[in-house]
Amino acid sequence: MIECIKAEIANPNPKSTVNSYRSFGYNVSTAIADIVDNSISANANEIHIEYKWEGKNSFISISDNGDGMNRDELVLAMTPGSKDPEEERAENDLGRFGMGLKTASFSQCKKLTCITKRANYTILKRCWDIDFINSENEWQLLDYVSDSSFIDKVNSQESGTLVLWEKLDRIVGNAESHNESVKNAFYQEMMNVKDHLSLVFHKFIESKRIKIFFQNDEIEPHNPFLLNLNPKSEMGLPEKFGNVEITYFILPHMSEIGKVDYENSGGSLGWFQQQGFYIYRGERLLVAGDWLGLEKKRDYSKLARIAVNFSNANDFNWQLDIKKSTATPPIEIRRELLRIAKIAIMKSAKIYNWRGQKTFSDNLSNNYEPLWKDEITREGIKKYKINRKHPIISSLLSENNKLTSKALKLLEENVPIELILSNQNEDPAYHELEKQTETPSDELIALAIELYKINVSQGIPENLAKQQIISATPFNRFPLINEYLK
């Protein structure tokens, strides 16, 4: 039946097709990560990222000591759509569509050269030059490399592959080598690549399965769950749903880890942006810090990070894209993700909102008197009010000084919210690194004693006088104060 309705064969136009491959949405970091995937799938344990600034003649190379390829395998690897996406993959295979080498490379450069050597085989090279394809309008591979030193590099190994990007028109354009502006942008982009690889492949680096060298410097892993810090993050028990594993982590409060670790561990986007789910496929990170539409990013939830790992057998269920930078959880697991997210957010909020708060008993915690309270007006506006029941405020108001009441109202009407938010957005460290001490200052102890004496002199029983003080901010943070109230 099919034979009867066959018409023409519509081969895609080489020129338009190869140029469309350049628009898959990669950036330099995700493109290089895609090439590293191929190295890992080829059983490499060492990967080298090297680059050189020479204006429009700049280049980037990614080389490995993996299995290498024979001639047929090399040609297949250079052929667009060389593998069936529905084909079953080996467990350690980080590929899926047979497009990564080409689409990732073409997204950044116009000349892609692949040099490879299989153990006991002759070294081979093949090159795609988009300018040549456009001029010939033909899918013509070239047996060519611009510099024989790249061949020497691969030939010095028993086996391995080197991917070379030249004509970096998407990164440096036609810039001359003396163009400092483009040069600095190029170097900054490469530093972003280094940070990206340290995060995306942190599990491989931590487990010593691979070493990634960046201009000969070994990349250190960036674990987003901060398990290398002291104090360590709280880790929930891993939960398995089929071949998907979910584990939540609650980071320590920023004030507990110090300014240097705070800045280094926040990543390029900061702690607020990096809360949420971390989606791994075969322990390779796909999505970093996203609530996947299940929750919103909030300040009090920024200590919550949740690892989700699935195997490559689940690629289509998770709607994996070619860039391997997005994934959508299947409906049947979204309920479990939401449940675990709510647990993690609740634990984060508890640390974030109540850090340092200490009470002596449940009864005291029920009678806790903060210095500030918030309330919502009829217009739906949140206002901040000084708590008149706080022992210090109550003592001031008991003197019937009208100026005191007016001063409190003036403070309430002029809370510097805009200034606080501005400082928080500019650098959260202004507020979040404030360390809560375990020992009260002499001034605070003296103030507590003075309030206690005033309460007792007014006929309040001693136990109640103590309770009123030690259940109020900031006295409630220091159990030691109770020993001075005699």
Side-chain angles (χ1 to χ4, degrees):
M1 182 63 186
I2 295 297
E3 294 296 326
C4 298
I5 60 174
K6 279 184 178 179
E8 298 77 19
I9 293 176
N11 286 321
N13 179 279
K15 183 176 179 179
S16 59
T17 303
V18 75
N19 285 288
S20 70
Y21 286 165
R22 311 198 72 197
S23 304
F24 274 77
Y26 287 93
N27 57 40
V28 185
S29 297
T30 55
I32 290 180
D34 213 335
I35 306 300
V36 172
D37 287 340
N38 294 338
S39 296
I40 294 173
S41 296
N43 300 310
N45 57 32
E46 278 194 17
I47 301 163
H48 292 257
I49 317 296
E50 296 179 348
Y51 57 91
K52 187 175 183 180
W53 166 258
E54 290 183 342
K56 59 186 176 183
N57 296 318
S58 302
F59 70 82
I60 298 171
S61 71
I62 305 99
S63 60
D64 64 52
N65 64 346
D67 297 335
M69 294 174 278
N70 60 32
R71 180 182 177 279
D72 290 343
E73 290 168 334
L74 174 58
V75 173
L76 188 65
M78 294 291 275
T79 302
S82 56
K83 287 191 177 181
D84 182 355
E86 296 187 1
E87 181 181 301
E88 188 174 338
R89 297 274 181 155
E91 189 175 343
N92 71 329
D93 192 340
L94 297 180
R96 170 53 61 186
F97 299 96
M99 296 286 285
L101 172 62
K102 286 74 66 175
T103 54
S105 301
F106 291 154
S107 73
Q108 306 303 318
C109 71
K110 295 177 77 174
K111 182 186 280 189
L112 160 65
T113 305
C114 187
I115 306 166
T116 189
K117 179 185 178 184
R118 173 70 66 84
N120 302 318
Y121 279 72
T122 305
I123 194 166
L124 299 164
K125 61 187 183 301
R126 289 293 184 271
C127 172
W128 280 124
D129 188 320
I130 289 181
D131 288 335
F132 184 82
I133 294 173
N134 288 340
S135 65
E136 298 293 319
N137 200 24
E138 194 170 62
W139 288 108
Q140 181 63 63
L141 274 170
L142 306 176
D143 186 0
Y144 171 81
V145 64
S146 61
D147 190 328
S148 61
S149 65
F150 295 111
I151 291 180
D152 296 337
K153 179 178 175 65
V154 178
N155 218 10
S156 65
Q157 305 174 172
E158 182 180 354
S159 64
T161 299
L162 184 148
V163 173
L164 175 63
W165 292 352
E166 297 171 292
K167 296 185 181 180
L168 301 170
D169 63 320
R170 295 291 174 88
I171 306 174
V172 302
N174 290 314
E176 298 297 330
S177 59
H178 54 76
N179 188 323
E180 290 296 316
S181 173
V182 179
K183 176 183 176 180
N184 292 335
F186 175 70
Y187 284 142
Q188 182 56 57
E189 198 67 64
M190 296 310 295
M191 288 301 102
N192 294 341
V193 169
K194 183 179 182 181
D195 292 340
H196 185 73
L197 297 179
S198 72
L199 175 63
V200 168
F201 298 103
H202 77 89
K203 291 193 175 187
F204 290 86
I205 301 172
E206 288 166 345
S207 61
K208 311 297 184 186
R209 280 175 282 178
I210 63 169
K211 291 182 179 181
I212 303 179
F213 294 89
F214 193 84
Q215 296 288 69
N216 295 320
D217 291 331
E218 189 173 349
I219 292 180
E220 295 295 324
H222 175 193
N223 188 308
F225 310 111
L226 310 191
L227 299 179
N228 59 321
L229 297 184
N230 187 24
K232 292 185 181 297
S233 301
E234 175 190 345
M235 177 178 173
L237 291 175
E239 297 190 42
K240 288 199 109 180
F241 304 93
N243 55 7
V244 179
E245 183 172 281
I246 308 172
T247 310
Y248 72 76
F249 297 82
I250 309 301
L251 278 52
H253 191 273
M254 304 79 171
S255 64
E256 299 297 318
I257 66 173
K259 185 174 177 62
V260 174
D261 282 334
Y262 169 81
E263 292 176 348
N264 291 340
S265 58
S268 60
L269 298 177
W271 283 46
F272 181 87
Q273 292 297 338
Q274 303 214 105
Q275 62 182 281
F277 292 105
Y278 285 71
I279 311 298
Y280 294 82
R281 170 187 181 257
E283 300 195 331
R284 190 267 203 206
L285 185 62
L286 303 176
V287 177
D290 193 317
W291 285 116
L292 306 176
L294 299 176
E295 286 287 351
K296 294 179 181 178
K297 289 187 176 181
R298 303 179 179 90
D299 220 46
Y300 61 76
S301 60
K302 65 183 173 186
L303 302 182
R305 298 184 183 182
I306 304 170
V308 182
N309 191 42
F310 66 89
S311 71
N312 59 15
N314 277 16
D315 285 349
F316 293 106
N317 289 339
W318 284 77
Q319 300 177 42
L320 183 73
D321 72 338
I322 286 179
K323 304 189 304 294
K324 286 171 283 193
S325 61
T326 61
T328 304
I331 294 175
E332 59 267 23
I333 205 167
R334 291 177 73 87
R335 180 184 296 179
E336 301 300 336
L337 291 174
L338 179 59
R339 175 181 61 80
I340 294 172
K342 289 188 178 299
I343 294 172
I345 289 172
M346 180 185 67
K347 287 178 174 286
S348 171
K350 186 175 181 182
I351 294 173
Y352 195 75
N353 292 334
W354 298 100
R355 70 183 178 100
Q357 300 294 348
K358 294 182 180 177
T359 54
F360 301 111
S361 69
D362 290 337
N363 290 334
L364 292 182
S365 64
N366 290 336
N367 295 324
Y368 167 62
E369 293 293 354
L371 187 56
W372 288 89
K373 288 186 173 182
D374 59 356
E375 60 181 44
I376 298 177
T377 65
R378 292 179 182 177
E379 295 78 23
I381 305 299
K382 182 161 282 193
K383 293 288 186 179
Y384 298 90
K385 300 288 186 180
I386 295 174
N387 179 18
R388 268 58 175 178
K389 293 182 180 180
H390 190 282
I392 297 177
I393 306 303
S394 177
S395 180
L396 282 173
L397 292 174
S398 67
E399 298 176 5
N400 293 320
N401 186 333
K402 292 183 179 180
L403 189 59
T404 299
S405 182
K406 290 179 179 180
L408 294 178
K409 189 171 182 61
L410 184 65
L411 288 171
E412 291 172 339
E413 292 176 351
N414 292 277
V415 177
I417 294 175
E418 291 81 5
L419 179 60
I420 293 170
L421 289 176
S422 175
N423 287 336
Q424 180 73 5
N425 290 331
E426 181 181 345
D427 185 359
Y430 287 140
H431 306 126
E432 293 169 350
L433 290 177
E434 180 184 358
K435 193 113 178 134
Q436 299 286 359
T437 61
E438 296 292 326
T439 306
S441 65
D442 292 340
E443 292 83 359
L444 192 64
I445 293 172
L447 178 59
I449 293 172
E450 184 178 351
L451 285 173
Y452 173 70
K453 289 180 178 178
I454 291 173
N455 286 348
V456 172
S457 69
Q458 292 176 346
I460 298 175
E462 292 182 2
N463 286 341
L464 183 57
K466 286 184 181 181
Q467 181 175 307
Q468 286 180 348
I469 294 168
I470 61 178
S471 63
T473 303
F475 310 110
N476 65 315
R477 299 206 312 264
F478 305 104
L480 183 63
I481 287 177
N482 192 45
E483 301 300 318
Y484 291 88
L485 305 182
K486 298 177 181 178

